[in-house]
Each structure stands twice: as C-alpha cells, then as structure tokens.
C-alpha cells in the first residue's frame, strides 16, 4: 500500500532491488542502493536530534545526494525545504529564516556563499557539505552517513504530514513557502504517471532543477512506476543529446528554450533517437515554428503540462499537437491543454461567479494534489484555497471542449527560459538604487527566452545611471536570472486614476522588442 512517499522507496527496493533507479554520468544506482543510503542519512539526522516535521534544507544543483536527502525525508517524516541555488544572499537568508531548518545540506560549490550568510542563521544547528572538501564548520556528507544505522530512523511520516516546503514568489515580492503533503504528492505522482503514460520500462531524462516541482513531480511519477531516471547536474545541450542516445531515453522534460538548443545541435539529424517517444515541455507554449521543426525531425513526441507549485494540472496531449491542422487545431497550440483526470477547472469573475465559455476570468482548480497551504502565512492560505478551490491568480478562458487559454497573469509573472519571474520582486530590487525614482517591470516577447524582463524606469532629478550599471546592480539584490535584459528610461510612468501604474498602457508603449525610451 502506497500511503507515503517513503513507501515508494521501500516498494521499489523490495520489488526491483537490482534495477537502475538513477543514471548520473557514468554512475548507475539501484533501487536497493537508494533505499539503503536514504535510510543511513535518515538515521544519522535522527541521531543529530531531528524529529518528524523538522526541516532539512538542501542547497544544490541536481545530484544523487539531493535525491538521497529527499529519500531521508520521505522515510523519516522530515520536511525537505528546498532552496533555489540561483538566489542572491539576501533571498537565501529570507527563505532560510522563514523555514527555520535545523540542518542545511549543501553542495561544496556553495560553501563560500553559505559561510557568508551563516551568521544570520542561528537556528541552523548542523551544516553538511558534499561534492568537495567540507569547510571546518561543516560535516562531511559521507562521514555523516557512516554514523547512520542501516535500519533507518525509528520514525515514519503519516500521509497528511508535510513532505515538501518549496518557495515560490508572490505578488508582494516576498516568497511564499508552499507546503505539500505526502498524500498530495502521491496524487501528483499518479497524475504524472497517467498523463505521460509512464511504464516500468521507461527511462526518464531530467535536467530541470529538482528544487522545482516540475522535475521532482516527474521523478516521483517515474519511480512510482518503478522506471529509471537519467539525471543531469545541469543543462548542457550536447550532453543531453548524447545521453538520450547512449541511455536509450524514452522520455525527456525540457522548457521550450531547451528544446530549441538541442534541436540546434549540428549532429541532431545524424543520431538515433528512435527510443524517444515523449518530450514533455512546460512553463510556456511551444512556438509553432519550433514545434513544426521538432515534429518533422522526431515525429509526434511533444506533450505540454501546465501546473504550479500549489497544484492543479492541464495537459495538451501528443495527438493534439497539429501545427498543420485546421485553424482550430493551430489555435489550440496556444492553449495549455485540457484538465487532467481528477482535476476540475473553472473560470470565475471577481465575485466568484462561474463564467461561460470564451469569457476570461480567474482560473480556479480543484484536485487532490493541491498544497496544504503557505508556511507561516494563514491569510494567503485562506485566500488561495477558499471554497475548496485553488485560486491561481492567472486569468484565462475555456473553449467549448475545455481547452484552457492563459490571457494574463494577476501576479504579473514573467516566464523566461522556463523560470517564473515576478515583476514586483524585480521592481523592489531596482527601487533600492539611489538613482531610481519610479520603476515598473514587464515581460516582452523574446525569440529565444519566450519572454524577457524589461524595466521601465524614471530617474530622480539630476541623477544618472546607465542601463548596464543598473542591470549589474540588480544582480546584487536578486538572482541573476531575474535581472532585466533591457531598461527603458522615461520621464514618467502611465498611471490609473487610483494612482497605480497602468501596466496595460505600459505594455502597449514599451512591450515590443527593441523599443527605446528617452
């Protein structure tokens, strides 16, 4: 009986002990190996004083140790509080202060960053380093594992215990910790297995960061079915293609920009990709020219998933990708698909009244895979989950067959290269520069990134700062990938009678590629 994520580990170790759970470079790790090492880590952390629902933070790119840390939490009932490795030190401090982990497990490449911020994190009792020499103030990961008991920790989670605490930015610019339970994540694993048609013989390739839900959810779905995961530390197009061929990957997961980078490789038409039957993409619709090119080369392999850290899910299936079909078929390529089984979707107005087909409003979803709520934020939880529905904050409409179309985002979210960037967060970072009097951030279409961040700025009287200087400054306040790609300087920003910035007019004036201000 699969009631918690730990049951998936135990089930696979019992049924498929010698089958490959992970391929990581030249390493092959069996389900028995994964279970044994996760048990050792769970036991070692228990001996350090951790108990059920204590937080374990993980700062790392995709590594086997990351997956072992997940496994320890799955088995013992600790909460895995993931951290985006791209974040700037002030952002890291905020998240690690809000989640109050007792342990931080980090990859050695981040040791210098962790050392700089550890003085602001008195609640962290134990630092654990892997992938290099541990600094004197941290434990070596393998040394810690050696202290564990092969039987694991003497505790187990309950189905409604929190498993994941994953931070996602909100409209105020302050990240919110999304609490996800074992029960909810088993539901999402089942949804992944159903929508992607996962079977035990599949080999799933993952290069998107596992601190995000996308790659993590797919990994859970694959291991629920007992299949193998080909895990990459990061995204290098040539290595991704080589692995698809070498490991006979059947399914891969990429943002559209990654698909483009792989299809641009000169050897793409010469290699054998016959084993690959599905390319799952997310974060944004696939540009039609890229889709046509991919379908011509690879056949009907593309499938789109839409969801968020909080839950929900729609799918645009492989057979629904028809770039040369009817006008309706082509239009639906711009949709985010139809509701997955056991997912309800409706569109409502500001009063919560359901809207008819074709009329845009807020997208609401209802499913067993929803989050439990936001960590330390009951007001946001109540607002998001009222009336039994998750209020996404996204605006969209349904057509007569239930295809869902995004038309805008209440949260002013920008999707650039598969990463969610919130305009308010970038605005607040830029506003701290002494030369900035007023600023607003919008997304502009970009051929490669899908969307790029553009800031429209008003300088204070007599003050000057260049575009490049402001972009560099922004990198000191927030993660580099969130910084503006371009900055337009203007005399004033358009405003509504209420005094709020009119972003509709702002996008009309400055939302086209190449637009310049004063």
């Amino acid at each position: 009986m699969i009631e918690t994520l730990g049951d998936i580990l135990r089930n696979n170790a019992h049924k498929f002990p010698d089958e490959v759970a992970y391929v990581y470079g030249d390493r092959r790790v069996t389900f028995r190996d994964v279970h044994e090492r996760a048990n050792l880590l769970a036991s070692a952390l228990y001996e350090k004083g951790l108990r059920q629902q204590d937080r374990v933070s993980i700062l790392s790119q995709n590594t086997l140790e990351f997956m072992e840390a997940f496994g320890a939490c799955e088995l013992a009932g600790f909460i895995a509080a993931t951290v985006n490795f791209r974040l700037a030190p002030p952002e890291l401090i905020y998240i690690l202060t809000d989640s109050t982990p007792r342990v931080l497990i980090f990859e050695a490449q981040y040791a210098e960053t962790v050392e700089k911020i550890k003085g602001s994190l008195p609640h962290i009792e134990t630092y654990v380093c892997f992938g290099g020499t541990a600094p004197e103030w941290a434990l070596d990961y393998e040394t810690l594992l050696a202290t564990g008991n092969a039987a694991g920790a003497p505790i187990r989670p309950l189905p409604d215990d929190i498993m994941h605490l994953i931070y996602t930015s909100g409209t105020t610019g302050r990240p919110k910790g999304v609490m996800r339970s074992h029960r909810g994540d088993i539901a999402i694993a089942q949804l992944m297995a159903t929508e992607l048609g996962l079977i035990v013989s599949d080999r799933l390739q993952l290069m998107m960061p596992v601190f995000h839900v996308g790659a993590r959810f797919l990994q859970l779905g694959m291991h629920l079915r007992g299949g193998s995961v080909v895990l990459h530390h990061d995204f290098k197009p040539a290595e991704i293609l080589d692995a698809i061929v070498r490991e006979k990957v059947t399914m891969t997961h990429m943002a559209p920009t990654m698909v483009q980078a792989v299809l641009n490789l000169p050897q793409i038409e010469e290699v054998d990709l016959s084993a690959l039957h599905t390319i799952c993409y997310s974060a944004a619709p696939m540009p039609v020219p890229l889709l046509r090119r991919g379908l011509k080369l690879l056949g009907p392999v593309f499938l789109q998933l839409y969801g968020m850290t909080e839950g929900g899910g729609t799918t645009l299936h492989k057979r629904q990708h028809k770039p040369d079909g009817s006008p309706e078929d082509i239009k639906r390529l711009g949709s985010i698909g139809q509701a997955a089984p056991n997912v309800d979707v409706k569109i409502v107005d500001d009063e919560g009244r359901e809207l008819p087909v074709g009329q845009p409003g807020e997208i609401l979803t209802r499913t067993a895979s929803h989050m439990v709520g936001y960590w330390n934020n009951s007001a946001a939880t109540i607002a998001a989950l009222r009336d039994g529905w998750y209020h996404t904050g996204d605006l969209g409409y349904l057509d007569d067959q239930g295809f869902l179309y995004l038309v805008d985002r209440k949260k002013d979210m920008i999707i650039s290269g598969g990463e969610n960037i919130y305009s308010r967060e970038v605005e607040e970072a830029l506003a701290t520069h002494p030369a900035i009097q007023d600023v607003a951030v919008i997304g502009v279409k970009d051929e490669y990134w899908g969307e790029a961040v553009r800031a429209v700025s008003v300088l204070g009287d007599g003050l000057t700062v260049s575009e490049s200087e402001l972009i560099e400054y922004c990198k000191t306040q927030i993660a580099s990938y969130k910084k503006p790609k371009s900055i337009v300087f203007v005399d004033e920003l358009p405003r509504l009678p209420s005094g709020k910035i009119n972003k509709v007019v702002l996008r009309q004036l400055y939302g086209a590629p190449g637009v310049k201000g004063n």
Side-chain angles (χ1 to χ4, degrees), residues 124-142:
I124 298 182
E125 302 163 5
T126 305
Y127 291 87
V128 184
C129 178
F130 67 87
T133 302
E136 60 181 17
W137 43 268
L139 297 177
D140 174 73
Y141 182 85
E142 293 298 331

Side-chain angles (χ1 to χ4, degrees), residues 408 440 442 456 490 492-497 500-512 515:
D408 203 352
I442 57 174
V456 184
V490 298
E492 62 180 4
L493 298 177
R495 294 187 176 274
L496 296 165
K500 294 181 179 179
I501 294 170
N502 189 333
K503 287 203 170 179
V504 173
V505 172
L506 200 69
R507 293 185 184 101
Q508 292 171 348
L509 294 174
Y510 307 112
V515 168

Side-chain angles (χ1 to χ4, degrees), residues 12 50 70 102 111 113 155 245 257 275 277 287 337 415 427:
N12 287 334
L50 266 70
F70 273 143
R102 296 181 66 183
T113 298
I155 52 175
V245 176
T257 51
H277 59 67
I415 301 176
E427 288 163 358

Side-chain angles (χ1 to χ4, degrees), residues 21 55 69 80 89 139 154 159 183 209 256 281 350 364 366 497 513:
R55 272 75 64 207
L139 297 177
R183 190 187 302 279
Y281 66 97
D350 289 342
L364 274 57
R366 183 171 60 187

Side-chain angles (χ1 to χ4, degrees), residues 252-290:
T252 189
H253 173 225
M254 304 185 196
T257 51
M258 293 176 171
V259 174
Q260 182 174 331
V262 171
L263 292 182
N264 284 343
L265 292 170
Q267 66 268 38
I268 187 70
E269 297 191 23
E270 302 169 8
V271 296
D272 180 10
L273 300 175
S274 58
L276 184 66
H277 59 67
T278 302
I279 297 178
C280 172
Y281 66 97
S282 55
M286 186 80 70
V288 172
L290 178 62

Side-chain angles (χ1 to χ4, degrees), residues 81 91 126 172 181 187 233 301-302 316-317 322 358 372 375 383 397 463 499 506:
E91 297 170 304
T126 305
T172 65
S181 70
H233 185 259
V301 299
F302 291 100
L316 189 67
H317 290 281
K322 301 175 182 178
V372 175
W375 182 262
Y397 67 91
L463 300 176
L506 200 69

